[in-house]
Amino acid sequence: KNEVEQSPQNLTAQEGEFITINCSYSVGISALHWLQQHPGGGIVSLFMLSSGKKKHGRLIATINIQEKHSSLHITASHPRDSAVYICAGALPSGSRLTFGEGTQLTVNP
Amino acid sequence: EPEVTQTPSHQVTQMGQEVILRCVPISNHLYFYWYRQILGQKVEFLVSFYNNEISEKSEIFDDQFSVERPDGSNFTLKIRSTKLEDSAMYFCASIEVAYEQYFGPGTRLTVT
């Protein structure tokens, strides 16, 4: 049973394009995390959402609780945005994360 | 900015040997986690630790695995007798309460 599903698996864009990565999650998940994994393997937390929308620079994350769906948007994409973006669901109160498969984003100059 | 640190960055060991992976979580954080990522696969939860005891563990976390917080700062993952399939990137993470998780840079474990 997949609790968190992401799409697309791979995404190639040209510099400057608007990018959207989608995530669907199952019942029981109370917060949704968006993470970035660099080619060297390190993981950085981008957002944690339980409702609404958050923005940080060119990154925007939204969540629709009724539809159990979240999106990560990147505006004016740049080659340095190339990485794996991972959606992960958290159960309540400090519980562990359940990870999606990740989306490999490549932004070409 | 505070960060989670992990040592070593890369560990090579022979099958059957014991390994200890070390993590120093952020000092005021309360929940600690170990995750692993086999090459080409998604990240998987191993174990969570709160108030000096395991709060949750996955099916992967069998009797070969153990965790400790020996001195109030370090958080260790021990694999007693490594198998080839234990080769993976192991990430430590910590959180204050119900906030975003801070991940360490990972330890790449190679079992030969």
Side-chain angles (χ1 to χ4, degrees):
Chain A
K1 169 171 83 88
N2 290 325
E3 294 171 296
V4 177
E5 295 195 353
Q6 274 183 251
S7 63
Q9 195 172 357
N10 292 285
L11 183 55
T12 301
Q14 288 299 121
E15 185 172 355
E17 285 185 2
F18 181 84
I19 285 159
T20 296
I21 300 169
N22 295 300
C23 177
S24 297
Y25 59 94
S26 63
V27 173
I29 286 172
S30 63
L32 215 293
H33 295 246
W34 282 102
L35 310 164
Q36 182 190 54
Q37 187 168 30
H38 298 290
I43 295 174
V44 173
S45 179
L46 298 174
F47 297 104
M48 188 188 87
L49 289 160
S50 51
S51 64
K53 176 177 170 177
K54 286 189 178 178
K55 184 176 192 291
H56 182 71
R58 294 180 294 105
L59 272 59
I60 303 165
T62 62
I63 189 167
N64 183 319
I65 297 164
Q66 284 74 31
E67 295 185 7
K68 298 183 183 49
H69 180 269
S70 177
S71 294
L72 176 69
H73 306 286
I74 305 175
T75 62
S77 59
H78 191 276
R80 66 174 174 265
D81 297 326
S82 298
V84 176
Y85 291 84
I86 302 170
C87 166
L91 299 171
S93 305
S95 288
R96 47 105 169 168
L97 296 181
T98 300
F99 295 79
E101 300 280 346
T103 295
Q104 173 68 64
L105 172 66
T106 303
V107 182
N108 294 317
Chain B
E1 186 175 327
E3 58 181 18
V4 177
T5 60
Q6 289 186 244
T7 54
S9 56
H10 190 190
Q11 172 98 43
V12 181
T13 190
Q14 287 194 323
M15 199 165 55
Q17 296 295 305
E18 174 183 286
V19 293
I20 297 176
L21 310 183
R22 291 184 167 82
C23 169
V24 179
I26 295 170
S27 62
N28 62 334
H29 284 190
L30 300 175
Y31 291 83
F32 313 108
Y33 307 84
W34 282 101
Y35 298 97
R36 80 170 186 192
Q37 186 177 34
I38 294 169
L39 187 64
Q41 298 186 20
K42 67 179 180 179
V43 181
E44 302 172 287
F45 166 74
L46 290 178
V47 66
S48 58
F49 195 84
Y50 171 71
N51 203 24
N52 286 320
E53 60 183 25
I54 291 173
S55 51
E56 189 179 0
K57 59 183 181 179
S58 72
E59 292 171 355
I60 303 166
F61 194 88
D62 61 20
D63 292 345
Q64 293 299 311
F65 291 87
S66 61
V67 288
E68 268 192 332
R69 194 149 189 259
D71 56 13
S73 61
N74 290 286
F75 179 47
T76 62
L77 174 70
K78 184 195 290 186
I79 309 175
R80 275 183 253 288
S81 177
T82 50
K83 308 185 196 69
L84 294 175
E85 54 265 36
D86 294 327
S87 294
M89 190 79 143
Y90 288 81
F91 294 100
C92 170
S94 68
I95 65 170
E96 193 172 350
V97 186
Y99 297 114
E100 58 192 276
Q101 293 200 9
Y102 288 79
F103 287 82
T107 292
R108 183 168 299 284
L109 176 65
T110 302
V111 182
T112 61

